[in-house]
Amino acid sequence: MNNKACGSRFERIFARMLAMEGFWVHVFQDNRNGQPFDVIAVKNGKAFVFDCKVCTGNTFRLSRMEPNQISAMKRWEECGNLEGAFAVKYATGNIYILPFQELMSLRSRKIKSLDEQQAGEVGRKWN
């Protein structure tokens, strides 16, 4: 399976997982035109946005945060919404929810990647 197909599959799986937790969920399909988020989920009047990333190895490279995703997440927060996050699936199959601002802080400190253990320290493991 190629990277795009693998990523699209994870977006759909992650959306189903959110729906099973009682969220209203929408997966954005038009990523080729620069759509900055993959998934939006709403529950109890709170909206959350996620970008989904799949790691084929044991690290998530922070360089995979694309400029349009960064600017959109910043703007999302400037508009008074809750912080965006990256849902990162590691090769083990474990998924971690990594807060956008924490990832930006790591990037500013010149940290280039997170292994799975570090992801658990930065964010939280999905059940």
Side-chain angles (χ1 to χ4, degrees):
M1 184 178 308
N2 68 30
N3 285 347
K4 177 135 179 71
C6 188
S8 296
R9 182 173 181 266
F10 175 51
E11 291 166 15
R12 290 189 306 273
I13 290 169
F14 185 65
R16 278 193 300 259
M17 293 167 73
L18 288 166
M20 290 175 64
E21 293 293 324
F23 286 86
W24 172 90
V25 183
H26 177 73
V27 178
F28 292 98
Q29 297 297 316
D30 196 15
N31 288 347
R32 73 175 178 267
N33 290 325
Q35 182 64 43
F37 307 127
D38 293 324
V39 176
I40 185 167
V42 181
K43 184 176 180 179
N44 298 327
K46 296 179 182 174
F48 303 86
V49 291
F50 300 93
D51 191 76
C52 298
K53 301 289 187 190
V54 176
C55 300
T56 54
N58 63 355
T59 60
F60 170 57
R61 289 178 288 110
L62 299 183
S63 63
R64 293 186 59 200
M65 297 169 60
E66 299 170 16
N68 68 322
Q69 295 165 337
I70 292 169
S71 63
M73 286 204 181
K74 284 180 180 177
R75 184 68 180 135
W76 174 261
E77 291 176 23
E78 288 169 0
C79 290
N81 296 299
L82 297 171
E83 180 179 10
F86 282 74
V88 179
K89 181 179 178 186
Y90 282 83
T92 60
N94 293 326
I95 299 167
Y96 292 84
I97 307 302
L98 306 176
F100 171 68
Q101 288 297 335
E102 185 63 31
L103 294 176
M104 291 303 292
S105 175
L106 293 170
R107 281 173 56 123
S108 73
R109 296 192 318 252
K110 308 294 185 216
I111 294 173
K112 305 268 188 221
S113 63
L114 296 174
D115 64 23
E116 191 170 341
Q117 179 181 341
Q118 292 166 318
E121 295 165 4
V122 168
R124 69 173 180 82
K125 185 178 177 184
W126 182 268
N127 302 347

